Amino acid sequence: MERRTVGSGALRAGAVGLGCMPMSWAYTRSQRSGTESERTVRTALDHGVTLFDTADMYGPFTNELLLARALGARREEALLATKCGLLVGDGHLVANGRPEYVRRACDASLRRLRTDVIDLYQLHRADPEVPVEETWGAMAGLVAAGKVRALGLCAHDARAVRDATVRGDAARGGAASRGGAASRGGTSREGGVTVRTARGVLAAPREAPYAPTVRVLERVQQVFPVSAVQAELSVWSPEALRVLLPWCVARGVGFLAARPLGSGYLTGTLTPGQGFEPDDVRARHPRFTAEMMAANQPVVAGLRRVAARHGATVAQVALAWVLAADPRVVALPGTKRAPFAAENAAASALRLDENDLREIAALPRARESWDAWG
């Protein structure tokens, strides 16, 4: 598999990695199998995958343990990327960026992963009550102590800006009365963006997606170099291409593309109205309502046309599109099934030509439940 540079050159990873979250978090619990997940990790290794992405909150904690068991004696073949900064509460998540917590979290992850060093340690979420420079400084101390090789930051604010803007536009145009908007008042902050309600409908300033993350990156970069940024990037969520990926490219920072298969939708295997179990995050996702899954079928159909020309799968075309964005991009498709891990790894050899890319660029934008009216 093609190798790509992550950061300043300290890390070299296969172009396609493996997101381990679905093995023990967020998706349908009844379909999880520790044995199959361990086989998936080893299959990925066999097909040239080197970067394995996990987090202490997945499970919580069990995902790191599973990955350690699966790698076993093959630890040296892998680049381990894990995260800190989020605690799992009673039905919610709490950010914790206190330096003392960061140090304890790293030691705990090292024990669970059965390793002496974490290749890429990522801040999962900035703590609004702790200056991010203090959190990042503690993480930099872990590099100095030899416990971590490189640092990364997870971006999470594109959807908050986009969704709030869409709903705010709808309110100003009088569309709120047709449904789909938030009903509670007040003020919230997400990703550094203040979202105030106007007559119960969220409104937000027009700001480029991921602009708040870039501001955080500029701050932490003054403390210690950022080696990688992880953010959602896919055919139906391309927002990172506007500001975030160019920022990374200009500074030699690696980009880890999360959810490159649109949480499974861009594989072409999900059908509108199929439903999801209550513990599956897609059961509450605006794009996974039966209506929106049907409305977004043209996106999958377009990818299927390109795939037919190349003798590839829809998922492989979706991944090849992500990899074509820039040589610093590493795709992190998540799966808990060994055959899918092998299929995803093979996407690294697929080269889309200019006609393919133009055809994909011309596909209709993906829609969400609250933009159905316009």
Side-chain angles (χ1 to χ4, degrees):
M1 182 186 293
E2 174 196 355
R3 292 291 186 267
R4 296 191 166 191
T5 300
V6 178
S8 61
L11 304 178
R12 294 277 292 172
V16 176
L18 178 63
C20 298
M21 182 185 73
M23 300 174 183
S24 53
W25 181 257
Y27 297 120
T28 308
R29 183 178 292 109
S30 66
Q31 297 178 7
R32 296 175 195 161
S33 166
T35 301
E36 174 64 12
S37 292
E38 291 179 31
R39 188 165 76 92
T40 298
V41 170
R42 291 188 286 269
T43 297
L45 281 171
D46 292 341
H47 286 80
V49 171
T50 60
L51 183 59
F52 294 83
D53 183 72
T54 182
D56 56 4
M57 65 157 286
Y58 298 159
F61 312 126
T62 56
N63 200 252
E64 290 180 327
L65 293 168
L66 185 156
L67 183 55
R69 290 195 305 271
L71 290 174
R74 302 181 69 176
R75 162 66 181 98
E76 295 304 314
E77 300 177 45
L79 292 175
L80 290 179
T82 192
K83 311 175 189 76
C84 70
L86 276 180
L87 302 176
V88 181
D90 184 14
H92 63 281
L93 302 176
V94 179
N96 189 339
R98 295 192 299 273
E100 61 273 19
Y101 164 74
V102 168
R103 289 187 283 268
R104 291 198 307 270
C106 179
D107 287 341
S109 286
L110 286 167
R111 289 193 298 271
R112 286 188 293 268
L113 290 168
R114 301 178 190 171
T115 187
D116 295 327
V117 62
I118 294 168
D119 297 297
L120 179 65
Y121 203 41
Q122 302 164 92
L123 179 59
H124 215 157
R125 185 72 60 89
D127 186 339
E129 297 184 358
V130 178
V132 71
E133 290 86 353
E134 293 184 15
T135 306
W136 200 255
M139 295 173 70
L142 299 171
V143 178
K147 297 179 178 182
V148 171
R149 293 178 63 195
L151 301 183
L153 183 80
C154 293
H156 63 278
D157 52 10
R159 190 175 302 280
V161 175
R162 183 186 67 216
D163 295 351
T165 301
V166 167
R167 287 192 265 185
D169 289 346
R172 286 184 288 276
S177 62
R178 294 194 285 275
S183 60
R184 63 180 184 275
T187 301
S188 64
R189 288 187 64 83
E190 176 67 16
V193 179
T194 300
V195 182
R196 294 183 178 85
T197 59
R199 280 186 274 198
V201 180
L202 288 175
R206 285 191 175 277
E207 184 172 34
Y210 291 116
T213 290
V214 168
R215 291 195 289 271
V216 172
L217 286 166
E218 295 284 4
R219 291 168 60 185
V220 300
Q221 191 82 321
Q222 302 303 310
V223 178
F224 190 87
V226 179
S227 288
V229 173
Q230 182 170 163
E232 183 173 8
L233 177 61
S234 71
V235 170
W236 78 345
S237 293
E239 292 86 357
L241 297 178
R242 288 179 55 190
V243 173
L244 189 57
L245 180 58
W247 187 93
C248 293
V249 172
R251 292 158 180 79
V253 174
F255 187 95
L256 308 184
R259 295 187 289 280
L261 297 178
S263 299
Y265 188 80
L266 298 179
T267 65
T269 61
L270 302 181
T271 57
Q274 70 174 59
F276 298 94
E277 294 184 17
D279 63 321
D280 192 313
V281 294
R282 292 172 293 186
R284 302 177 297 280
H285 193 297
R287 284 190 179 163
F288 286 94
T289 64
E291 179 187 12
M292 287 302 101
M293 288 180 71
N296 287 323
Q297 281 295 302
V299 179
V300 176
L303 295 178
R304 188 170 281 116
R305 289 192 296 271
V306 175
R309 292 200 296 267
H310 288 274
T313 67
V314 178
Q316 288 170 339
V317 171
L319 290 172
W321 180 89
V322 168
L323 295 178
D326 189 84
R328 289 189 177 274
V329 174
V330 173
L332 287 178
T335 185
K336 51 186 177 288
R337 300 284 183 263
F340 294 154
E343 175 186 330
N344 293 342
S348 66
L350 177 59
R351 297 292 181 268
L352 301 179
D353 60 31
E354 291 300 319
N355 290 331
D356 298 326
L357 295 174
R358 278 195 296 270
E359 183 171 343
I360 293 172
L363 293 175
R365 71 176 181 87
R367 295 169 61 186
E368 312 222 19
S369 58
W370 47 69
D371 65 15
W373 54 66

